[in-house]
Amino acid sequence: MQSGVITAHAIRLRPGDDLVPAIEAAASFAMSTSQTSSAFVLTVVGSLDKVTLRMANACCKNAEEVESNEIRDWDERMEVVSLVGTLAPSGKHLHMSLSDKDGLVVGGHLVAGRVYTTLELVLGTIQNVGFQRELDDATGYRELVIKPTDHNE
């Protein structure tokens, strides 16, 4: 386990902003400003009018009959219930939950989204802790590796 001082970074995304690239840009700026390679989502409030999620363990077969996680799209106004995740210069891992007009909640791995009215994003960075993503042979995915840094990087 690694520990360090947390710094908060706040930004408001505007209507029509492309969610994932905006989060990545904000995290990159936050890490650069804090001279660290670790960022994470502290809190988010807002709404989207388009979102794409990869569903957890929901497998489907594509045209080549290869199993993969199912990807679903929503083209409707939805409230962000939660967004959690970690970001590093080498990649990200973001999960999102949203509610529709009836209050029904969906969630999964965030693939893409578009801001509807606003998205108030607060990111955290951790001094002297570095995040990177490396291929994990056990899972087959690029997983988070947490390393102490002797100095801010």
Side-chain angles (χ1 to χ4, degrees), residues 16-21 23 44 46-55 70-83 94-100 104-116 119:
D17 281 351
D18 193 352
L19 182 59
V20 174
I23 292 171
V44 173
S47 62
L48 305 178
D49 61 8
K50 184 174 185 146
V51 67
T52 302
L53 300 176
R54 188 181 78 220
M55 310 315 292
E70 183 177 357
I71 304 242
R72 294 187 189 168
D73 297 305
W74 287 264
D75 289 308
E76 61 185 279
R77 297 174 186 166
M78 302 181 90
E79 287 291 322
V80 175
V81 174
S82 71
L83 174 63
L94 301 169
H95 287 191
M96 177 175 262
S97 298
L98 304 112
S99 65
D100 67 11
L104 299 176
V105 176
V106 297
H109 182 93
L110 178 61
V111 175
R114 185 175 61 205
V115 176
Y116 175 55
L119 193 116

Side-chain angles (χ1 to χ4, degrees), residues 19-138:
L19 182 59
V20 174
I23 292 171
E24 290 173 320
S28 179
F29 182 80
M31 287 184 279
S32 176
T33 299
S34 296
Q35 299 181 324
T36 186
S37 63
S38 59
F40 61 97
V41 178
L42 281 168
T43 191
V44 173
V45 175
S47 62
L48 305 178
D49 61 8
K50 184 174 185 146
V51 67
T52 302
L53 300 176
R54 188 181 78 220
M55 310 315 292
N57 294 322
C59 291
C60 61
K61 291 188 179 179
N62 63 20
E64 290 83 32
E65 295 294 316
V66 175
E67 283 195 8
S68 63
N69 286 336
E70 183 177 357
I71 304 242
R72 294 187 189 168
D73 297 305
W74 287 264
D75 289 308
E76 61 185 279
R77 297 174 186 166
M78 302 181 90
E79 287 291 322
V80 175
V81 174
S82 71
L83 174 63
V84 296
T86 55
L87 300 106
S90 57
K92 66 191 174 308
H93 191 179
L94 301 169
H95 287 191
M96 177 175 262
S97 298
L98 304 112
S99 65
D100 67 11
K101 64 182 176 51
D102 298 317
L104 299 176
V105 176
V106 297
H109 182 93
L110 178 61
V111 175
R114 185 175 61 205
V115 176
Y116 175 55
T117 56
T118 190
L119 193 116
E120 301 160 10
L121 170 66
V122 182
L123 297 173
T125 54
I126 311 170
Q127 295 299 310
N128 301 318
V129 175
F131 289 172
Q132 55 189 67
R133 295 217 157 265
E134 296 177 3
L135 182 63
D136 183 322
D137 292 334

